[in-house]
C-alpha cells in the first residue's frame, strides 16, 4: 500500500513522477506512475512506442491529451488507451495543477527512463536533442511530429488548447 505523496519519486522537468508499480514488482509486465503536473506543464511531446501499450487516467485537474490527430482537454475520470505505434502526448494547459496516472504494459523499464530523463534535464550543459533522442530510443520511445497536430506552445510555455 502506498499513501498519497509517498513512495519512490523523481522530478522530470519540474513534474514530480511517483512510481506506484514498477516492472520489478510485476516481472516486467506492468508499470504505473503518477505525474503531478504543475500549471502549464508541457508534459510529454508527441511520440509513440513500438512495444508498449500506454494508458492514461486523469485523476485530478484538466489534462490536454493527444491521440493521433485528436486533441482534447480531459477532466477527472477520463481514460485513454494508446496502442503500440499510436502517436500521443499530454500536458497541463491550465492554471491549476493536474494529476495523471500513466500505466504501461509491458513496463519497458519506465522507472529507469523517467529517472534518467530527470537527471538529463537537470544536467549542465543543457542536453542536446541527440542525447534526448538516444535516451528515449533505449526505452522504446520515438518522436512523432510529421503530419500530425501538436499542442502549440506560446512564449510562456503554456498550451494554446483552443487553436486547432
Amino acid at each position: 500500500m502506498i499513501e498519497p505523496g509517498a513512495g519512490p519519486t523523481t522530478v522530470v522537468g519540474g513534474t514530480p513522477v511517483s512510481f506506484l508499480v514498477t516492472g520489478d514488482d510485476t516481472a516486467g509486465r506492468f508499470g504505473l506512475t503518477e505525474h503531478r503536473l504543475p500549471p502549464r506543464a508541457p508534459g510529454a511531446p508527441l511520440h509513440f512506442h513500438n512495444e508498449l501499450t500506454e494508458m492514461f487516467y486523469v485523476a485530478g485537474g484538466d489534462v490536454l491529451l493527444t491521440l493521433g490527430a485528436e486533441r482534447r482537454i480531459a477532466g477527472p475520470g477520463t481514460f485513454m488507451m494508446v496502442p503500440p505505434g499510436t502517436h500521443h502526448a499530454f500536458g497541463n494547459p491550465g492554471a491549476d495543477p493536474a494529476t495523471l496516472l500513466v500505466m504501461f504494459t509491458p513496463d519497458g523499464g519506465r522507472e529507469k527512463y523517467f529517472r534518467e530523463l530527470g537527471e538529463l534535464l537537470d544536467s549542465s550543459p543543457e542536453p542536446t536533442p541527440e542525447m534526448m533522442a538516444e535516451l528515449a530510443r533505449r526505452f522504446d520511445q520515438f518522436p512523432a511530429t510529421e503530419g500530425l497536430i501538436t499542442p502549440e506552445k506560446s512564449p510562456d510555455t503554456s498550451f494554446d488548447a483552443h487553436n486547432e
Side-chain angles (χ1 to χ4, degrees):
M1 185 177 305
I2 300 172
E3 297 295 326
T9 299
T10 193
V11 177
V12 178
T15 297
V17 178
S18 295
F19 306 103
L20 305 178
V21 178
T22 69
D24 290 342
D25 302 320
T26 65
R29 292 186 298 267
F30 178 79
L32 172 62
T33 58
E34 178 188 58
H35 298 246
R36 292 181 306 284
L37 299 163
R40 309 235 187 282
L46 199 61
H47 65 280
F48 69 96
H49 309 282
N50 285 321
E51 303 295 327
L52 295 174
T53 296
E54 191 169 10
M55 294 157 277
F56 298 90
Y57 181 82
V58 180
D62 291 324
V63 177
L64 176 62
L65 296 176
T66 302
L67 183 63
E70 181 181 355
R71 292 174 40 205
R72 177 181 305 186
I73 300 293
T78 302
F79 176 82
M80 179 174 83
M81 187 181 94
V82 183
T86 305
H87 302 150
H88 61 285
F90 69 86
N92 179 2
D96 296 317
T99 301
L100 185 65
L101 297 178
V102 183
M103 296 153 268
F104 302 94
T105 184
D107 173 72
R110 299 312 281 179
E111 178 180 12
K112 187 171 182 183
Y113 168 72
F114 287 122
R115 288 192 185 285
E116 288 187 31
L117 179 59
E119 290 169 7
L120 189 59
L121 290 171
D122 284 343
S123 66
S124 182
E126 187 172 311
T128 65
E130 294 79 16
M131 294 166 71
M132 298 291 288
E134 170 54 29
L135 173 63
R137 217 176 353 265
R138 284 193 295 122
F139 292 96
D140 186 34
Q141 184 162 313
F142 306 92
T145 56
E146 293 183 13
L148 294 174
I149 300 169
T150 59
E152 298 296 325
K153 292 171 73 173
S154 67
D156 69 354
T157 71
S158 63
F159 287 122
D160 179 1
H162 303 290
N163 183 13
E164 306 208 349

